[in-house]
Amino acid sequence: MIERECPDEETRALFELTRELADKELRPKADAAERDGAFPREAFRILGRSGLLALPYPERLGGGGQPYQTYLQVVEELATAWLAVGLGVSVHTLTCFPLATAGTPEQQERWLPDMLGGEQLGAYCLSEPASGSDAAALRTRAEADGQDYVVNGVKAWISHAGRADFYTLFARTSGDHEGAQRSRGISCLHVPADTAGVSAAPAEHKMGMRASVTAQMIFENARVPASQLIGEEGKGFAIALAALDAGRLGIAACATGVAQAALDTAVSWARERRQFGRPIADFQGVSFMLADMATAVEAARALYLSAARRKDAGLPFGPQAAMAKLFATDAAMRVATDAVQVLGGYGYVEDFPAERLMREAKVLQIVEGTNQVQRMVIGRSLTRPS
């Protein structure tokens, strides 16, 4: 059991609640749901009603008023039990960010209570088939028409597509998708799932995280009232980037959770598996591997918590978030791969969790900015004129 950083009894109680829900509601269901591709909608509802979908947002907005470092440790605990749920909480938090930070008081009062309470699950619509890492090159357009915007375009790789109750959509209200000024003219819209002209394509068939639906979202002459514009028209890309800075810390926490689960699996096996008359943990080749795995997990946790403390203190944290995402996800892939090795042949079959954790770890090196993009962010921060 991981000793979480608990500055007070309230935080300790929150972590105990999270661990209890993870043990009772998530861990027992994860293997079957991943095998069958069953979306855990009820799990998100339970977490929402328990207050775990509202943690990092201010109490005046209906949130939990918790520091980001506390919220991230909750996400890690959930991801250790079931990545699809931990990542889903991070995605939902990402979708709420624009409204919570740039929405009008009227918009916040209208939508945030259900969003933060678990009755409404969100999806974040930024990436497109032709614009992934170059997110500013998006082509989805929202044309003004009277009191509405008419939206046309396709979004890609959308978590919760077709299962979400609302979509935080980034679309072009002016300008062109090419050229140096392509980030201008992008706006953010709140789009309820029942909006006419909004539909999901068939779900992608993924290597891992099969319980988490990922698909394209299609917008065909979808009319969205101008009152659902979040922030200023044409200024949405700055909102998107700010949301992603925070979201990368969520991915780092998820990756640390996967790595912790892989480490726990490997340690348990190494204690119980006997060869040559003794537990394989007694062999230096295995014990040194476990030591390296444990060190990587602790380092990943320390890095995302350090970045979170900067965020909580109001300091710039973008490069540190990129470092945390980069390191933690690479560590998760390495630790999960080593867990398969420790289990040997048993690690390669679906009867044991190691192979699932290895498949799940891979996607974390890709989502919310590939690790190559994280290196670009870090490198630019080092060479930018002061």
Side-chain angles (χ1 to χ4, degrees), residues 213-229:
V213 177
T214 303
Q216 292 186 345
M217 287 301 302
I218 302 166
F219 299 84
E220 294 181 299
N221 295 319
R223 300 190 75 88
V224 179
S227 61
Q228 292 171 202
L229 173 72

Side-chain angles (χ1 to χ4, degrees), residues 262 265 336 339-340 343 346-349 352-359:
T265 297
V340 171
L343 269 68
Y346 295 97
Y348 199 68
V349 297
F352 296 83
E355 62 85 28
R356 174 169 66 83
L357 295 169
M358 180 179 174
R359 288 186 286 105

Side-chain angles (χ1 to χ4, degrees), residues 183-232:
S183 66
R184 298 183 179 179
I186 295 172
S187 300
C188 180
L189 295 167
H190 176 83
V191 183
D194 60 1
T195 302
V198 176
S199 62
E204 306 288 353
H205 298 285
K206 298 179 297 184
M207 180 169 69
M209 268 214 326
R210 294 166 182 165
S212 177
V213 177
T214 303
Q216 292 186 345
M217 287 301 302
I218 302 166
F219 299 84
E220 294 181 299
N221 295 319
R223 300 190 75 88
V224 179
S227 61
Q228 292 171 202
L229 173 72
I230 307 300
E232 296 182 50

Side-chain angles (χ1 to χ4, degrees), residues 83-318:
L83 177 61
V85 174
L87 187 68
V89 171
S90 180
V91 167
H92 180 75
T93 301
L94 182 71
T95 65
C96 296
F97 180 93
L99 181 60
T101 58
T104 66
E106 293 76 17
Q107 290 173 330
Q108 293 171 347
E109 183 177 350
R110 178 182 177 187
W111 294 313
L112 271 180
D114 283 347
M115 290 164 63
L116 298 181
E119 300 308 309
Q120 295 271 310
L121 185 68
Y124 191 78
C125 294
L126 177 62
S127 295
E128 297 185 1
S131 63
S133 295
D134 186 7
L138 64 84
R139 302 179 185 218
T140 297
R141 299 199 73 91
E143 301 282 356
D145 182 20
Q147 297 300 307
D148 299 330
Y149 290 101
V150 179
V151 182
N152 284 281
V154 177
K155 294 295 180 176
W157 311 113
I158 306 304
S159 296
H160 307 164
R163 301 301 186 97
D165 301 292
F166 70 93
Y167 298 90
T168 297
L169 172 69
F170 294 89
R172 189 170 297 283
T173 48
S174 64
D176 191 74
H177 65 275
E178 295 181 319
Q181 306 300 318
R182 62 191 181 280
S183 66
R184 298 183 179 179
I186 295 172
S187 300
C188 180
L189 295 167
H190 176 83
V191 183
D194 60 1
T195 302
V198 176
S199 62
E204 306 288 353
H205 298 285
K206 298 179 297 184
M207 180 169 69
M209 268 214 326
R210 294 166 182 165
S212 177
V213 177
T214 303
Q216 292 186 345
M217 287 301 302
I218 302 166
F219 299 84
E220 294 181 299
N221 295 319
R223 300 190 75 88
V224 179
S227 61
Q228 292 171 202
L229 173 72
I230 307 300
E232 296 182 50
E233 184 177 272
K235 301 295 180 64
F237 195 63
I239 297 173
L241 292 184
L244 287 175
D245 276 345
R248 284 166 181 160
L249 290 178
I251 299 302
C254 285
T256 305
V258 170
Q260 184 65 57
L263 174 63
D264 292 343
T265 297
V267 169
S268 177
W269 180 261
R271 287 172 174 168
E272 297 174 7
R273 176 67 169 171
R274 299 181 66 86
Q275 293 289 278
F276 305 102
R278 51 181 171 152
I280 63 172
D282 289 350
F283 294 96
Q284 189 178 84
V286 174
S287 66
F288 278 18
M289 186 180 294
L290 296 175
D292 288 342
M293 294 162 69
T295 302
V297 174
E298 288 291 339
R301 184 175 295 119
L303 197 54
Y304 86 64
L305 286 174
S306 175
R309 292 188 189 99
R310 290 184 63 88
K311 184 180 188 310
D312 290 333
L315 298 172
F317 70 98

